[in-house]
């Protein structure tokens, strides 16, 4: 996947990894970068700085995602790279109310489904295109918060299904799974949790560059933190031992 001369859309592009991806794509010579965010002012600030175009959209709403895609292609031409990057988190476990679980499900999973539903037939018909889904290392391993870990696992599974089903038909699919990234979401964490999640902390800019490198290499799984691959191996080699290690990790986060 070459970003140069490509029309790129980045959701959640008003801050964090999304903003860094938008800047990196512009620097790489994208034909147009459409910065989308629920926060219209934040999207406009990023777009103005890179010579891109801002479009407000709440990806929890399928109609707004489809409108974003339709308007981008009407104005700038076929989307070559769609970065489904918007994501949210909430602290807690099964005690969280259904409304919280549903909100994370809509944004962390169904927004990816809606984008694929609109774009996959178009990309296949024109012989190519690339979908980039920002998940998390939590989608390969786990995390402190159940709704986040569960929905990120689902995001990875959805990306895998697309790559299996359509990867041989010209569709490119990549899944971005970083560990700790210096973003507003991480800085909102408190105390021991933030300290543990900051091990090997990367800047959003470093993650964006690793993402472009991964796209250029046609990687499905983009791991800006290389240690994630080792953690995955340990999980596969001895699942019971890995679960015990994760229990200890969670106890540290609780200060126990």
């Amino acid at each position: 996947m070459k970003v140069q001369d490509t029309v790129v859309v980045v959701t959640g592009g008003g801050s964090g990894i999304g903003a860094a991806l938008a800047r990196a794509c512009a620097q790489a010579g994208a034909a147009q970068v459409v910065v989308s965010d629920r926060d219209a002012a934040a999207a406009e600030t990023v777009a103005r700085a890179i010579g891109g175009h801002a479009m407000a959209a709440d990806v929890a709403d399928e109609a707004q995602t489809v409108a974003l895609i339709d308007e981008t292609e009407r104005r700038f031409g076929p989307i070559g790279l769609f970065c489904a990057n918007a994501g949210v988190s909430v602290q807690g476990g099964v005690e969280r109310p259904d409304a919280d679980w549903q909100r994370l499900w809509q944004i962390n999973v169904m927004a990816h489904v809606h984008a694929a539903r609109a774009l996959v037939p178009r990309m296949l018909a024109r012989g190519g295109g690339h979908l980039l889904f920002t998940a998390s290392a939590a989608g390969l391993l786990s995390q402190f918060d159940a709704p986040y870990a569960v929905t990120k696992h689902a995001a990875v599974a959805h990306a895998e299904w697309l790559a299996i089903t359509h990867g041989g038909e010209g569709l490119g699919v990549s899944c971005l799974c970083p560990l700790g990234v210096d973003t507003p979401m991480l800085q909102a964490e408190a105390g021991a949790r933030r300290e543990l999640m900051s091990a090997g902390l990367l800047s959003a800019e470093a993650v964006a560059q690793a993402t472009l490198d991964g796209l250029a290499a046609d990687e499905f799984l983009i791991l800006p933190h290389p240690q994630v691959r080792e953690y995955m191996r340990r999980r596969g080699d001895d699942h019971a031992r890995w679960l015990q290690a994760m229990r200890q990790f969670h106890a540290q986060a609780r200060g126990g």
Side-chain angles (χ1 to χ4, degrees), residues 25 56 92 117 138 144 151-152 178 193 200 204 219 222 224-225 229 234 247:
C25 288
R117 183 179 291 158
F144 305 119
T151 55
K152 291 301 186 178
R193 281 171 55 117
E219 294 177 353
I222 299 177
H225 298 79
R229 200 173 300 279
R234 294 178 190 176
R247 291 185 192 112

Side-chain angles (χ1 to χ4, degrees), residues 73-91:
E73 297 207 327
R74 184 186 69 81
R75 296 187 66 166
F76 306 115
I79 295 169
L81 172 62
F82 188 94
C83 304
N85 171 77
V88 292
S89 184
V90 65
Q91 292 189 6

Side-chain angles (χ1 to χ4, degrees), residues 79-228:
I79 295 169
L81 172 62
F82 188 94
C83 304
N85 171 77
V88 292
S89 184
V90 65
Q91 292 189 6
V94 294
E95 77 282 356
R96 298 298 308 197
D98 284 0
D100 287 343
W101 282 87
Q102 188 60 41
R103 176 170 171 261
L104 266 69
W105 182 257
Q106 283 299 118
I107 296 172
N108 293 351
V109 183
M110 291 309 298
H112 297 188
V113 174
H114 298 155
R117 183 179 291 158
L119 278 169
V120 168
R122 305 183 195 195
M123 288 180 168
L124 293 180
R126 55 193 180 224
H130 206 100
L131 300 175
L132 171 69
F133 300 106
T134 299
S136 168
L140 302 170
L141 303 166
S142 192
Q143 205 248 17
F144 305 119
D145 304 307
Y148 187 79
V150 170
T151 55
K152 291 301 186 178
H153 271 73
V156 173
H158 172 243
E160 288 177 336
W161 182 88
L162 285 169
I164 291 166
T165 306
H166 299 296
E169 301 171 6
L171 181 72
V173 182
S174 295
C175 196
L176 172 60
C177 295
L179 278 172
V181 184
D182 189 8
T183 65
M185 184 181 292
L186 178 65
Q187 295 308 320
E189 297 284 352
R193 281 171 55 117
R194 185 172 68 247
E195 183 177 349
L196 287 168
M197 293 169 71
S198 295
L201 187 70
L202 292 178
S203 67
E205 288 71 24
V207 171
Q209 186 56 57
T211 302
L212 263 60
D213 292 344
L215 290 171
D218 199 27
E219 294 177 353
F220 169 76
L221 205 55
I222 299 177
L223 304 176
H225 298 79
Q227 61 267 43
V228 172

